[in-house]
């Protein structure tokens, strides 16, 4: 009986949360309640006024960056100011920071969806082509020998079958009707997942919303367009959040169960679950894990790596969940994804351990031109800034770091993949993307001081003064970095509808089994009829080889065209911008290539417009490798 009476006579003190207004020091006056919504309204109003002033059709060296008018930039400053004001009352009114985070997402990424009269990212039209082919064929063809290994999209068809269903449900012609809205939709879906993830480790709403804000600013890598990676990423973080909240092993909290051992902002370890409960949890998560495998080939590997890293802690050592995840991944790779899986295994011996090669960016040459160069530098600076802030928090707030060790491990887990494969030049961006949620949390922890309560040391007060300046400065700096990183290359991301129509007509003229030639695949409708037409992107190779090709491009191509092939060459403005920006061709190289092919008797002009030219290969009977 005494054992049960003790809690009644000496109740445990409540766990401290974000300080309420009553904890402010005497004499301090908080901002008025109307200031935050007023700044939000004014910021959104300026953004709405700025959009009609954006002359996106005349983008040049700096992409959309120098086409955004002053009111657009002012709207971001006002939104940031409103968010900082809302943080002051986040403990009692967490809804206003949420509204600001949604507004930031819209202001940062909705402009192309509202303005552009064509698909942003030329390669996004590839996914539209896959959905259209799926709807036309009415079946999956995972083992078909399609040019460019396009059959891989039928080996991981979850994303495309979902969009095929959406196209039918909405009654639209193709995914192009809603494609540009994908970053907003995926961002809104991801928002509650991030909040739950961060609330697992902190009770301070200021820290939660600052981490969400930093995540949105630092998510510049462009992986949230209408693509399998964007959907798989949301599913991955959902599984991770469920594991961190509901897969705690009994008796593993240790000193972390003692409030005195925790950082003032830290949350206690989530309630432990029994073996039976975790087994049921595995059954619940299995469909999500299967969905990840059906959508994307790399994300299941990332999930296995993260779950393996969590096993390094006693708290989340769930070997059964790791085994189930690994078996589902292996089973999919050996059945539906078998062709690409075996091909990848064959290349591992060449890429294993080549850190420099595996961490290269996703282009063959070197970024050239003011916009691409600025975008590249801004992206690197953003990554370094977030990482630096995160390291400061890990070192300065050790009690918070100890309680959030699983999140730190989950964020660092993808790093070793640099030693395995370059993933077509994408591994650098994918590692950054999967490590970003944890990095954003720790970066926020460096900028948001712990709630001081009644006791305030000189050191704590000094840190609060520093963070009072550092927080707005860092948020504004990240905003300034996001814009060139995300919009600095839009000259190669936006394609006029007339260019898309030119490409579509050119490919529609080609017979089944014909061969399409272009400098690169980064132009709209490049893979239109990909299941009927072969393609060769002849400049996606070493830039030095491209310079040799420019000496006599007609002969270079003719010597490599299969005999008897019906060949069309499509050269467009978007290819010109892309090959120059990515360093595939030297300055003026695209114009030289176009003029020499046009002047060659081996190629006949089929159609020429300001946005591009279409040439047909017409070899003579004496042409080596040609056909009569």
């Amino acid at each position: 009986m005494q054992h049960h009476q003790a809690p009644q006579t000496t109740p445990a003190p409540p766990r401290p949360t974000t300080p309420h207004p009553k904890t402010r020091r005497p004499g301090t006056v908080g901002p008025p309640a109307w200031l935050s919504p007023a700044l939000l309204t004014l910021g959104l109003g300026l953004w709405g006024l700025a959009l009609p002033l954006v002359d996106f059709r005349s983008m040049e060296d700096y992409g959309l960056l120098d086409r955004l008018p002053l009111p657009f930039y002012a709207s971001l400053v006002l939104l940031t100011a409103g968010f900082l004001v809302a943080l002051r009352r986040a403990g009692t009114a967490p809804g206003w920071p949420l509204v600001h985070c949604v507004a930031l997402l819209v202001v940062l990424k909705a402009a192309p969806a509202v303005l552009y009269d064509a698909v942003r990212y030329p390669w996004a039209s590839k996914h539209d082509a896959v959905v259209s082919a799926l709807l036309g064929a009415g079946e999956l063809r995972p083992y078909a020998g399609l040019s460019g290994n396009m059959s891989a999209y039928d080996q991981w068809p979850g994303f495309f079958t979902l969009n095929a269903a959406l196209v039918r449900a909405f009654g639209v012609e193709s995914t192009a009707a809603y494609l540009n809205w994908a970053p907003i939709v995926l961002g809104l879906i991801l928002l509650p997942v991030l909040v739950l993830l961060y609330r697992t480790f902190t009770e301070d709403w200021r820290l939660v919303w600052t981490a969400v804000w930093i995540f949105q600013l630092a998510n510049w890598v462009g992986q949230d367009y209408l693509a399998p990676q964007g959907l798989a990423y949301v599913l991955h973080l959902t599984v991770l959040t469920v594991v961190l909240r509901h897969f705690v092993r009994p008796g593993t909290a240790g000193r972390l169960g003692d409030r005195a051992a925790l950082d003032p902002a830290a949350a206690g370890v989530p309630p432990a679950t029994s073996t039976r409960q975790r087994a049921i949890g595995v059954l619940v998560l299995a469909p999500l894990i299967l969905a990840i495998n059906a959508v994307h080939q790399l994300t299941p590997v990332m999930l296995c790596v993260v779950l393996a890293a969590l096993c390094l802690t006693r708290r989340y050592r769930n070997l059964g969940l790791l085994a189930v995840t690994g078996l589902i991944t292996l089973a999919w790779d050996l059945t539906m994804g078998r062709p690409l899986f075996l091909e990848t295994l064959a290349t591992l011996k060449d890429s294993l351990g080549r850190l420099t090669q595996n961490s290269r960016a996703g282009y063959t040459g070197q970024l050239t031109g003011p916009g691409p160069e600025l975008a590249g530098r801004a992206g690197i600076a953003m990554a370094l800034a977030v990482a630096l802030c995160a390291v400061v928090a890990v070192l300065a707030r050790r009690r918070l770091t100890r309680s959030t060790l699983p999140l730190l491990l989950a964020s660092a887990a993808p790093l070793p993949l640099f030693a395995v494969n370059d993933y077509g030049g994408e591994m650098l961006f994918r590692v950054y993307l999967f490590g970003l949620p944890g990095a954003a949390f720790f970066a926020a922890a460096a900028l948001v001081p712990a709630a001081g309560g009644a006791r305030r040391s000189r050191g704590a007060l000094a840190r609060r003064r520093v963070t009072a300046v550092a927080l707005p400065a860092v948020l504004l700096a990240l905003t300034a970095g996001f814009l060139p990183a995300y919009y600095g290359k839009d000259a190669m991301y936006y394609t006029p509808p007339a260019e898309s129509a030119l490409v579509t007509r050119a490919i529609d003229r080609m017979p089944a089994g014909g061969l399409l030639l272009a400098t690169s695949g980064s132009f709209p409708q490049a893979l239109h009829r990909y299941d009927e037409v072969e393609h060769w992107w002849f400049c996606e190779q070493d830039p030095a080889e491209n310079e040799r090709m420019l000496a006599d491009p007609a002969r270079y191509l003719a010597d490599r065209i299969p005999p008897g092939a019906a060949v069309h060459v499509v050269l467009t403005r978007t290819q010109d911008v892309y090959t120059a920006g990515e360093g595939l061709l030297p300055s003026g190289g695209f114009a030289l290539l176009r003029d020499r092919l046009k002047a060659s008797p081996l190629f006949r002009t089929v159609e020429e417009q300001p946005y591009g030219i279409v040439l047909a290969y017409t070899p003579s009977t004496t042409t080596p490798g040609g056909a009569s």
Side-chain angles (χ1 to χ4, degrees):
M1 291 298 293
Q2 292 177 350
H3 175 74
H4 296 289
Q5 291 172 352
Q8 299 175 5
T9 57
T10 58
R15 290 156 65 179
T17 59
T18 304
H20 292 249
K22 64 182 181 181
T23 63
R24 292 194 183 102
R25 288 174 293 172
T28 60
V29 178
W34 55 264
L35 183 56
S36 176
L39 290 170
L40 172 69
T41 304
L42 184 57
L44 289 176
L46 284 177
W47 178 75
L49 291 173
L51 290 186
L53 305 177
V54 180
D55 185 13
F56 63 92
R57 292 184 179 87
S58 63
M59 288 185 290
E60 295 180 350
D61 290 340
Y62 288 96
L64 199 61
L65 191 62
D66 61 356
R67 293 297 182 265
L68 297 173
L70 185 61
F72 184 93
Y73 295 101
S75 70
L76 285 169
V77 175
L78 289 173
L79 280 179
T80 304
F83 174 72
L84 292 170
V85 172
L87 278 185
R88 300 285 297 274
R89 301 176 60 243
T92 55
W96 282 115
L98 167 63
V99 175
H100 278 79
C101 286
V102 173
L104 178 69
L105 174 67
V106 172
V107 170
L108 287 178
K109 296 186 176 179
V114 175
L115 295 174
Y116 287 4
D117 50 6
V119 170
R120 186 176 189 250
Y121 297 130
W123 50 86
S125 64
K126 172 172 63 176
H127 300 144
D128 179 58
V130 174
V131 173
S132 298
L134 179 60
L135 287 170
E139 62 178 356
L140 296 173
R141 293 166 291 180
Y143 304 117
L146 300 177
S147 177
N149 205 17
M150 289 297 292
S151 56
Y153 292 103
D154 283 37
Q155 296 164 21
W156 282 270
F159 172 81
F160 302 104
T161 54
L162 172 62
N163 277 276
L166 291 176
V167 168
R168 289 283 173 82
F170 293 156
V172 296
E173 184 176 349
S174 68
T175 61
Y178 57 83
L179 193 150
N180 284 347
W181 288 100
I184 308 301
V185 174
L186 291 173
L188 291 175
I189 296 173
L190 191 59
L191 192 57
V193 178
L194 288 173
V195 172
L196 285 174
L197 176 63
Y198 296 149
R199 285 289 288 177
T200 305
F201 298 102
T202 182
E203 294 183 346
D204 190 342
W205 277 109
R206 300 170 307 152
L207 181 50
V208 170
W209 293 121
T210 304
V212 171
W213 193 272
I214 291 175
F215 176 88
Q216 293 187 144
L217 290 175
N219 187 17
W220 53 266
V221 293
Q223 298 293 341
D224 54 357
Y225 68 105
L226 194 74
Q229 176 67 96
L231 176 59
Y233 187 64
V234 173
L235 296 175
H236 167 87
L237 286 184
T238 301
V239 172
L240 176 61
T241 301
V242 172
V243 171
L244 293 174
R245 292 181 69 87
H246 301 292
F247 276 69
V248 177
R249 295 171 60 86
T252 58
R255 293 188 63 222
L256 297 180
D258 180 9
R259 186 71 238 177
L262 298 177
D263 183 279
V269 177
T273 51
S274 65
T275 301
R276 181 175 178 273
Q277 289 173 320
R278 293 196 301 278
I280 295 174
V282 172
L283 294 177
V284 171
L285 288 179
L288 278 179
I289 297 170
L290 181 60
I292 295 173
N293 280 272
V295 168
H296 196 240
Q297 60 267 44
L298 178 65
T299 305
V301 177
M302 290 287 191
L303 182 59
C304 288
V305 169
V306 168
L307 294 178
L310 290 179
C311 287
L312 298 177
T313 69
R314 293 179 59 243
R315 211 185 317 173
Y316 294 102
R317 192 168 295 156
N318 296 287
L319 298 177
L321 175 62
L322 176 60
V324 169
T325 304
L327 288 174
I328 291 176
T329 301
L330 185 61
W332 189 279
D333 288 343
L334 292 178
T335 52
M336 284 290 291
R338 181 180 177 86
L340 184 60
F341 177 67
L342 294 179
E343 179 183 326
T344 303
L345 287 180
T347 63
L348 283 181
K349 64 179 181 180
D350 296 326
S351 60
L352 193 63
R354 299 176 62 180
L355 297 180
T356 303
Q357 175 69 15
N358 293 345
S359 60
R360 68 181 176 90
Y363 42 85
T364 304
Q366 189 71 30
L367 288 175
T368 58
E373 290 175 358
L374 179 60
R377 288 194 295 267
I380 293 173
M382 293 267 287
L384 292 176
V386 173
L388 178 61
C389 289
V391 169
V392 169
V394 169
L395 297 177
R397 301 184 68 170
R398 296 184 181 180
R399 289 194 294 173
L400 179 65
T401 301
R402 186 181 176 209
S403 63
T404 56
L405 179 61
L407 182 59
L408 182 62
L409 288 174
S411 300
L415 287 173
L417 291 179
F418 278 133
V420 178
N421 194 269
D422 72 340
Y423 196 64
E426 290 285 329
M427 189 59 74
L428 175 67
F429 302 122
R430 304 306 169 96
V431 168
Y432 174 81
L433 183 68
F434 282 88
L436 182 57
F441 177 85
F442 287 103
L447 300 170
V448 177
R455 295 180 299 175
R456 296 177 183 269
S457 65
R458 289 185 178 181
L461 290 175
R463 286 193 295 271
R464 296 178 78 85
R465 293 191 184 101
V466 170
T467 54
V469 176
L471 177 59
V474 171
L475 294 188
L476 288 174
L478 291 177
T479 304
F482 174 89
L483 294 173
Y486 196 73
Y487 287 124
K489 297 164 67 176
D490 261 54
M492 68 176 71
Y493 295 163
Y494 168 74
T495 302
E499 181 179 333
S500 300
L502 172 70
V503 176
T504 302
R505 287 194 301 271
I507 298 178
D508 282 339
R509 293 190 192 101
M510 298 180 65
L515 176 62
L516 175 69
L517 269 60
T519 56
S520 76
S522 292
F523 64 99
Q525 299 299 316
L527 290 163
H528 175 55
R529 292 180 61 204
Y530 71 88
D531 53 341
E532 300 177 9
V533 174
E534 301 287 319
H535 55 266
W536 173 27
W537 318 134
F538 57 86
C539 282
E540 291 188 353
Q541 57 185 358
D542 185 72
E545 180 66 18
N546 286 333
E547 292 196 25
R548 288 190 288 270
M549 178 267 297
L550 287 176
D552 189 355
R555 175 57 53 197
Y556 183 92
L557 297 179
D559 289 345
R560 291 161 176 79
I561 291 174
V567 178
H568 281 69
V569 182
V570 177
L571 303 175
T572 66
R573 183 203 66 87
T574 303
Q575 294 178 51
D576 187 0
V577 176
Y578 182 84
T579 53
E582 300 291 349
L584 296 175
L585 291 175
S587 177
F590 187 88
L592 180 64
L593 168 69
R594 180 192 59 218
D595 293 343
R596 287 183 173 175
L597 288 181
K598 183 180 176 181
S600 171
L602 294 173
F603 293 90
R604 171 177 56 86
T605 300
V606 176
E607 182 177 359
E608 185 173 10
Q609 292 193 4
Y611 293 112
I613 186 172
V614 180
L615 303 165
Y617 177 52
T618 54
S620 65
T621 54
T622 58
T623 300
S628 59

